[in-house]
Short mmCIF file of all heavy atoms in Angstrom, two decimals:
data_model
loop_
_atom_site.label_atom_id
_atom_site.label_comp_id
_atom_site.label_asym_id
_atom_site.label_seq_id
_atom_site.Cartn_x
_atom_site.Cartn_y
_atom_site.Cartn_z
N HIS H 22 40.65 106.28 230.05
CA HIS H 22 39.85 105.64 231.12
C HIS H 22 38.46 105.25 230.61
O HIS H 22 37.97 104.15 230.88
CB HIS H 22 39.71 106.58 232.32
CG HIS H 22 40.99 106.78 233.07
ND1 HIS H 22 41.64 105.75 233.71
CD2 HIS H 22 41.72 107.90 233.32
CE1 HIS H 22 42.74 106.22 234.31
NE2 HIS H 22 42.81 107.52 234.07
N ALA H 23 37.82 106.17 229.87
CA ALA H 23 36.45 105.92 229.41
C ALA H 23 36.41 104.79 228.37
O ALA H 23 35.52 103.95 228.39
CB ALA H 23 35.85 107.20 228.82
N ILE H 24 37.41 104.77 227.48
CA ILE H 24 37.46 103.73 226.44
C ILE H 24 37.68 102.36 227.09
O ILE H 24 37.03 101.37 226.74
CB ILE H 24 38.57 104.06 225.41
CG1 ILE H 24 38.13 105.24 224.54
CG2 ILE H 24 38.93 102.85 224.55
CD1 ILE H 24 39.22 105.82 223.64
N ARG H 25 38.57 102.34 228.08
CA ARG H 25 38.82 101.09 228.81
C ARG H 25 37.56 100.62 229.54
O ARG H 25 37.17 99.45 229.43
CB ARG H 25 39.90 101.33 229.89
CG ARG H 25 41.29 101.25 229.36
CD ARG H 25 42.07 100.16 230.13
NE ARG H 25 43.41 100.06 229.58
CZ ARG H 25 44.45 100.66 230.11
NH1 ARG H 25 44.33 101.39 231.22
NH2 ARG H 25 45.64 100.54 229.56
N ALA H 26 36.96 101.57 230.26
CA ALA H 26 35.79 101.21 231.10
C ALA H 26 34.68 100.61 230.24
O ALA H 26 33.98 99.70 230.69
CB ALA H 26 35.29 102.45 231.84
N ALA H 27 34.52 101.14 229.02
CA ALA H 27 33.42 100.66 228.17
C ALA H 27 33.89 99.60 227.17
O ALA H 27 33.10 99.14 226.34
CB ALA H 27 32.79 101.85 227.44
N GLY H 28 35.17 99.20 227.23
CA GLY H 28 35.69 98.16 226.33
C GLY H 28 35.58 98.54 224.85
O GLY H 28 35.12 97.74 224.04
N LEU H 29 36.02 99.76 224.51
CA LEU H 29 35.80 100.26 223.15
C LEU H 29 37.00 100.07 222.23
O LEU H 29 36.93 100.41 221.05
CB LEU H 29 35.42 101.74 223.20
CG LEU H 29 34.21 102.07 224.09
CD1 LEU H 29 34.03 103.57 224.24
CD2 LEU H 29 32.96 101.43 223.51
N ALA H 30 38.10 99.55 222.77
CA ALA H 30 39.29 99.33 221.92
C ALA H 30 40.05 98.09 222.38
O ALA H 30 40.09 97.79 223.58
CB ALA H 30 40.21 100.55 221.99
N ASP H 31 40.66 97.40 221.39
CA ASP H 31 41.51 96.25 221.75
C ASP H 31 42.78 96.74 222.41
O ASP H 31 43.32 96.10 223.31
CB ASP H 31 41.87 95.44 220.50
CG ASP H 31 40.65 94.71 219.94
OD1 ASP H 31 39.73 94.44 220.73
OD2 ASP H 31 40.64 94.45 218.72
N GLU H 32 43.28 97.90 221.92
CA GLU H 32 44.54 98.41 222.45
C GLU H 32 44.55 99.94 222.41
O GLU H 32 44.02 100.54 221.47
CB GLU H 32 45.72 97.88 221.62
CG GLU H 32 47.05 98.24 222.23
CD GLU H 32 48.24 97.87 221.35
OE1 GLU H 32 48.11 97.89 220.11
OE2 GLU H 32 49.31 97.61 221.91
N ILE H 33 45.14 100.54 223.43
CA ILE H 33 45.32 102.00 223.43
C ILE H 33 46.82 102.28 223.49
O ILE H 33 47.52 101.79 224.38
CB ILE H 33 44.64 102.65 224.67
CG1 ILE H 33 43.14 102.33 224.70
CG2 ILE H 33 44.87 104.17 224.66
CD1 ILE H 33 42.44 102.77 225.98
N THR H 34 47.30 103.04 222.50
CA THR H 34 48.69 103.47 222.53
C THR H 34 48.73 104.96 222.83
O THR H 34 47.73 105.66 222.62
CB THR H 34 49.41 103.21 221.19
OG1 THR H 34 48.69 103.90 220.15
CG2 THR H 34 49.49 101.73 220.87
N GLY H 35 49.86 105.44 223.33
CA GLY H 35 49.92 106.85 223.69
C GLY H 35 51.30 107.43 223.51
O GLY H 35 52.32 106.71 223.51
N TYR H 36 51.32 108.75 223.33
CA TYR H 36 52.59 109.48 223.23
C TYR H 36 52.36 110.89 223.76
O TYR H 36 51.32 111.51 223.51
CB TYR H 36 53.08 109.56 221.78
CG TYR H 36 54.21 110.56 221.62
CD1 TYR H 36 55.50 110.25 222.04
CD2 TYR H 36 53.96 111.84 221.11
CE1 TYR H 36 56.53 111.20 221.94
CE2 TYR H 36 54.99 112.78 221.00
CZ TYR H 36 56.26 112.44 221.41
OH TYR H 36 57.27 113.37 221.33
N ALA H 37 53.32 111.41 224.52
CA ALA H 37 53.33 112.82 224.90
C ALA H 37 54.75 113.31 224.69
O ALA H 37 55.71 112.52 224.76
CB ALA H 37 52.90 113.01 226.34
#
Side-chain angles (χ1 to χ4, degrees):
H22 290 298
I24 288 170
R25 277 238 178 97
L29 305 172
D31 290 335
E32 187 186 31
I33 301 172
T34 58
Y36 167 77

